Amino acid sequence: MARLVIVSNRVALPDDRAARAGGLAVALTEALSRQGGVWFGWSGEIVEQPSEEPRLAAQGNVTYATLDIAAADHDAFYVGYANSILWPLFHYRLGLIDYRQASLAGYLAMNERFARALLPLLQPDDLVWIHDYHFIPMAAALRRLGSTHHLGFFLHIPFPAPEVLSALPDHERLVSDLCAYDLVGLQTEGDVRALSDYLTQEARGLLHSDGMVSAFGQRTRVQAFPIGIDTDHFARLAASATRRKDSQRLRDSLLGRTLMIGVDRLDYSKGLPKRMEAYQELLARRPEHRSRVVYMQVAPISRGEVPEYKRLRRELEGMAGRINGKYAELDWMPVRYLNKSFARHALAGFYRASRVGIVTPARDGMNLVAKEYVAAQDPDDPGALVLSRFAGAARELDAALLVNPVDVERVADALHAALAMPAEERKARWARMMAVLRARDVAFWRESYLAALAHARDTGWGGIRALLGRLGVGGAARAAPL
Ligand code: GDG
C-alpha cells in the first residue's frame, strides 16, 4: 500500500486534542496510520525568522512536519490572498475582495516555499493529497522542482462559475496551476460543472469521455467527492451527551421551551445576519412562538484579523441585542448568541436537544453542521432541518426544508413549518437523510478519493509521469505533449 502524504494549512498534531476531535481530522489520521506517511502544513506559529526546514514529530508510522511563517508572509498569504481574495471570490462575494498584487506574490512565494520544504520528505510512490484553497499552486510548484509524484487536490469550498472566477486578475494562472494535479476533487457536481465550464469556455480545454480534462497543456481528472461525517460515531456521541452536564444545564435553562440551534464559524459566508432577520420575522409574524422558542447561535470567532470579520461581529452583536431588546420578557431571552466554541460532545448534545437546526449559508462548499445536526437526532423524536439550497449539503439532504436564505419571509415560514412539523413527518424526513449520511460517511469520502487518486497514478498521463520519474527524467515530464 502506498504511503499517504496529507498537506493542509493546519495540521492536527498528536498533542492538539481540539484539532484532532473533528470528523475530518479523525478520518485523515486513520488513513495515515493505516498507510503510514506524513502530515505537512503550517505550524500555526508566526515567528521573526522562520526556518526553511520543517519541524518534525513522529507518532508510530506517521511524521508530522510543520513550518512556521513570518508575519509579513502570514499577512500576504493567509490574511491577504487566501482569506481576503480567494475566500470571498469562491463564495461569490466579489464586493468583499481586497485585491493586492503583493498578496498574490506572497501566496505564490509561500506555495514555493512549502513545496521546497515538502519535496525532500517525499518517496517516489507516495500518494500526495493536498487540501484547500491555500495550496492551489502547490502541485505546479512541486512539478517545477522536478516532482513526478501523483498529486491530488481537494477543494473544501465552492468552485465559482466562470463569470465569477474570471473577475480575479490572473485567474488563468490559478486554474492552470490547478491542472497540474492528477486529480482535482470538488464537493458537488455543480462545482465540477463550474470548473469544466471554465476550462472549456475560458481556456479552450477539452473534456474527454473518460472524465479527463485537458487544458493549459496538461491533463487532469475533475470529480465530485461530497465530504461526509463520521455518522455513526457522531450519533453515538449525541446519544451519550444527553446524560452529560452541559446538555442537562442547557435543557434545564430552557424551562420547557423549544430550542432552535445554529452553529457556524463567525463568517460572512454562513448567512448569519439574514438568519437573525428571519428569526425576527418569525417572532413578528407568528406571535404564538413568543416566549415559547429560543434560538441559540453558537458562533466561535474566526479570522478575527480580517477587517470584514470584525465588521460582521459588530453587526451580529447589534442584531442579537436589538431582537432581545424588542421581544425579551422578564423570564425569556429570544436569542442566545455565543461567540465561543464548545467541546465536540457538548455540541452533539446541543444539536440533539434542538427541535430545529438552522443552517442557512449564503454559499457553502458542503456544510458539515447540517450533517452533524441530522446525525445527532433521537430517531424516535428527531428535529427538523432548515437548510440553504446554496450549501453543498442540500444536494444530499433534500429531505430538509430547503430555503433561499435571502428570502427572509420564506425562511421565517420554513422555521414555523419546522416548529409545527408533526412527528411522523419529522421521522420520515430524518430517516431519508440519515440513510444518505450512513451510506456516504467520511470514510466513504476518503476511500473514494484515495481510490481515484491511486487509479490516476496507474492510468493515463499520471502513469507515464511516474515511469519517467522512476527513470530519472522527471523535470521533462510537464513539457511533454498530451
Ligand atoms: C469548510 C467549508 C465544508 C463549529 N463550531 C464549533 C465546532 N464547529 C465545527 C462543526 C463542523 C465544523 O466546525 C464546521 O464545518 P462546516 O462544514 O460547517 O464549515 P467550514 O468550517 O466553513 O468548513 C465547508 C468543510 O470545509 C469540510 O469540507 O463543509 O463548506 O467551508 O464540524 O461542528 N466544533 C466544536 N466547537 C464549536 O464551537 N468542537
Side-chain angles (χ1 to χ4, degrees), residues 193-217:
R193 223 171 15 253
L195 174 53
S196 307
D197 285 352
Y198 178 96
L199 291 172
T200 49
Q201 292 165 19
E202 297 276 337
R204 282 179 283 137
L206 285 178
L207 304 183
H208 303 279
S209 54
D210 59 357
M212 302 294 287
V213 185
S214 39
F216 298 108

Side-chain angles (χ1 to χ4, degrees), residues 70-93:
D73 293 332
H74 179 258
D75 285 351
F77 159 73
Y78 182 76
V79 179
Y81 203 76
N83 286 324
S84 302
I85 298 175
L86 291 183
W87 180 271
L89 178 85
F90 280 43
H91 288 89
Y92 288 73
R93 298 296 297 273

Side-chain angles (χ1 to χ4, degrees), residues 87 91 154 156-157 187 227 263 265 270 298 300 340-344 347 351 364-369 372:
W87 180 271
H91 288 89
F154 185 77
H156 290 258
I157 63 177
Q187 295 274 25
I227 194 169
V263 175
R265 279 185 309 99
K270 303 294 181 183
V298 175
K340 60 189 277 188
S341 71
F342 289 88
R344 197 158 170 77
L347 214 55
Y351 289 136
D364 219 327
M366 178 55 58
N367 197 298
L368 298 182
V369 168
E372 289 165 0

